[in-house]
Amino acid sequence: MFLQLKSISKGYGDPSKSNFRKVLEGLNLEVLTNQKIAIAGPSGSGKTTLLNLIGTLDQPDSGEIFFKGKKITGYSQEELANFRNRELGFVFQMHHLLPQCTLWENVLLPVLPVKKVVGKAEKEWAEHLLRKVGIWEQRNQKPSELSGGECQRTAVVRALINKPQLILADEPTGALDEQNAVNLAELLNHLSGDEGVSLIVVTHSSELASQMDQVYHLKNGILQ
Ligand SMILES: Nc1ncnc2c1ncn2[C@@H]1O[C@H](COP(=O)(O)OP(=O)(O)O)[C@@H](O)[C@H]1O
Ligand SMILES: [Mg+2]
């Protein structure tokens, strides 16, 4: 099994107080290598909470997460940082590109914590990806000089730069117009297929969801 979540529960606040908000309750999920899954659900149902747990940006109150057979819920802070930098790529609703850096600098930035310096291989990989998503010509421009769709494509390239095994995308088309949303959905779909990356995407878009292998609905703290 590539990724396995076992009986994950997560709430916010003090469990002994009345304002405690239970979000996930005994949630299970299994993802296969190269599998693409969509997670749908109303606002506030816990989709981002779930992605944050898989992305090890937050810890569950109970339950276990296994990545390729290893229990990541028991990792130290250092192991977690390593895991995130090497195995995961993140795409958010807003691109979160650094405004003062060019597109080229933005996509190569995540290499630094892993490799210390950006080598020839990383630059070639970046060029390959940028050409593939059609923004190579814009590489010396800054995010403010790019369209929303181009920024989001840049964010996808950045997520792939360290050749992760799993991409986590939280409403990646949420801020795009319809045509750009369709384009980005196709891009995510094709890139993950070509590069053999598993994909978990939270989305309201039926267009994007329909391109995934499986669609789950987050409801009452579990996936259905
Ligand atoms: N850091 C936090 N502290 C307290 N409550 C939170 C926090 N993050 C999320 N919540 C609450 O948890 C619920 C699920 O949030 P979230 O995972 O962001 O849902 P979704 O992404 O599906 O819209 C919401 O009711 C939200 O208000
Ligand atoms: Mg959310």
Side-chain angles (χ1 to χ4, degrees), residues 12 21 23 42-49:
Y12 295 104
R21 170 84 169 83
V23 180
S43 183
S45 58
K47 304 180 300 296
T48 296
T49 299

